[in-house]
Amino acid sequence: MDMIDTLLPWAVTALAIALVAAQGVANRVRMNRMEAHWRQRCDDLGRELHAVSSGSMGVGRRLVACEQSLHRLSGALEEMRLNDPLRVPYDEASKLVELGAGTEDLMNSCGISRPEAELVSALRKGQTRSQEHAGTDEVV
């Protein structure tokens, strides 16, 4: 029994050391797997981020091109509005109606037909009346 009493603590200690070593090896294997998994996940996310950023840069370039095109078209439209040969007589006719010109005066001054002169006169007078009424309307 003496020998068993002497060897038992050493055997328990050796068994404990073997268990701790086995647990250490198991933990190391598990950590290596986790590290490989997270490294792969980071690589995947890096590729996805690169794809998203490349796509957003392409969208940004297209947006800038659309804005430039919009500005060009807006400028061209404004230029067309200002240089419209048909609009000039109507603007001039509208101003003449404000000054009290009649249908014959509009036809002679602006080179527009009688129905056009009557229409401009009626529209301008209608605008004047609606502005006068808008200014005198009161909320009860």
Side-chain angles (χ1 to χ4, degrees), residues 43-103:
D43 290 345
D44 293 344
L45 290 174
R47 282 190 294 277
E48 288 179 25
L49 179 62
H50 179 40
V52 167
S53 64
S54 296
S56 66
M57 286 173 44
V59 169
R61 283 188 210 111
R62 290 187 67 189
L63 179 62
V64 168
C66 286
E67 286 177 342
Q68 290 171 345
S69 178
L70 177 65
H71 288 298
R72 278 193 314 270
L73 290 173
S74 178
L77 179 63
E78 187 62 30
E79 185 178 327
M80 287 172 59
R81 244 188 243 149
L82 292 174
N83 296 331
D84 185 6
L86 298 176
R87 186 169 183 224
V88 173
Y90 294 117
D91 288 344
E92 185 179 332
S94 179
K95 290 175 187 172
L96 290 174
V97 169
E98 281 182 33
L99 298 173
T103 304

Side-chain angles (χ1 to χ4, degrees), residues 4-63:
I4 292 179
D5 288 339
T6 310
L7 291 178
L8 186 62
W10 286 106
V12 170
T13 304
L15 180 64
I17 289 173
L19 289 175
V20 167
Q23 184 65 37
V25 169
N27 284 343
R28 188 71 197 148
V29 168
R30 191 172 352 137
M31 284 181 59
N32 286 342
R33 282 189 201 138
M34 286 175 54
E35 182 180 343
H37 168 76
W38 288 114
R39 182 173 289 126
Q40 181 63 40
R41 184 71 179 134
C42 286
D43 290 345
D44 293 344
L45 290 174
R47 282 190 294 277
E48 288 179 25
L49 179 62
H50 179 40
V52 167
S53 64
S54 296
S56 66
M57 286 173 44
V59 169
R61 283 188 210 111
R62 290 187 67 189
L63 179 62

Side-chain angles (χ1 to χ4, degrees), residues 103 106-107 112-124:
T103 304
L106 295 178
M107 290 170 46
I112 58 177
S113 66
R114 179 174 296 281
E116 291 172 322
E118 291 172 352
L119 179 63
V120 170
S121 181
L123 286 173
R124 191 64 191 152

